[in-house]
Amino acid sequence: MRRLLFLLPIILFALLISFLGWRLILIARGDTPDLVPSVMINKPAPEFDLPSLLADKPGLSSKNLQGKVTVINFFASWCVPCRAEHPLLAALKNKGVVLAGIAYKNKRVEAVEWLSKMGDPYNRIALDAEGRTAIDFGVYGVPETYVVDKQGIIRFKQTGPLTPEIVADELLPLLKELNQ
């Protein structure tokens, strides 16, 4: 009986490892039920009007999204993954992408300081201090990036930081298609 009690934790641990290994295999095959798709895809961007974060750049409103394809990036100065994706945003701007930034639940001073250190890749930049606009977009956390088409319809959402692969394989082809 004691021997069985001794083996019980080992058996439970082996079962746990087996389950986790199986889940990794399923995830590699594309089975990710924990990833919730955005309900906003193919729907109009919510109505909003946010003040500018910087004195020398305009803020952002839903009216600014009409007539041009726009990439909207929700970020925060306190967000470590935002720092990692920031060079990719600068590269997008250099390719002529219309890029709007929304500082999410940030203090103005901290966001301005962060942009002065990291660089400002945005054509328009706004402050969503209370996070209301982010909630309306369905933001889970920062960073999140959206593509809004010329009619103001959300066509893409990236939860988490952009990566070179996501930019090359998903974002740039979509932007090319939407800009035709």
Side-chain angles (χ1 to χ4, degrees), residues 17-161:
I17 293 299
S18 298
F19 174 75
L20 292 175
W22 179 246
R23 280 304 303 143
L24 287 174
I25 290 168
L26 291 176
I27 289 169
R29 293 180 182 166
D31 180 13
T32 53
D34 55 327
L35 295 180
V36 180
S38 174
V39 296
M40 296 299 291
I41 299 295
N42 297 323
K43 294 192 177 153
E47 293 289 321
F48 67 97
D49 188 7
L50 293 172
S52 178
L53 177 65
L54 303 173
D56 62 339
K57 282 203 174 171
L60 185 65
S61 75
S62 49
K63 293 175 185 162
N64 303 127
L65 303 177
Q66 298 295 318
K68 61 187 163 294
V69 177
T70 306
V71 174
I72 300 174
N73 177 253
F74 286 85
F75 73 96
S77 64
W78 43 264
C79 166
V80 174
C82 296
R83 185 175 299 270
E85 81 170 356
H86 204 73
L88 293 171
L89 298 172
L92 286 172
K93 184 178 181 184
N94 290 338
K95 292 179 186 268
V97 172
V98 177
L99 193 57
I102 299 178
Y104 169 74
K105 288 192 173 183
N106 232 156
K107 293 181 178 154
R108 182 180 300 275
V109 166
E110 292 171 357
V112 169
E113 182 180 310
W114 189 79
L115 284 173
S116 70
K117 286 180 186 174
M118 298 295 295
D120 178 9
Y122 304 108
N123 300 93
R124 290 180 168 271
I125 187 148
L127 177 62
D128 186 14
E130 302 301 316
R132 184 74 231 159
T133 298
I135 290 170
D136 292 344
F137 264 86
V139 170
Y140 293 111
V142 287
E144 283 197 15
T145 303
Y146 295 79
V147 173
V148 179
D149 71 12
K150 295 176 184 178
Q151 292 74 40
I153 307 296
I154 297 172
R155 298 298 180 187
F156 174 86
K157 175 184 177 182
Q158 170 61 34
T159 302

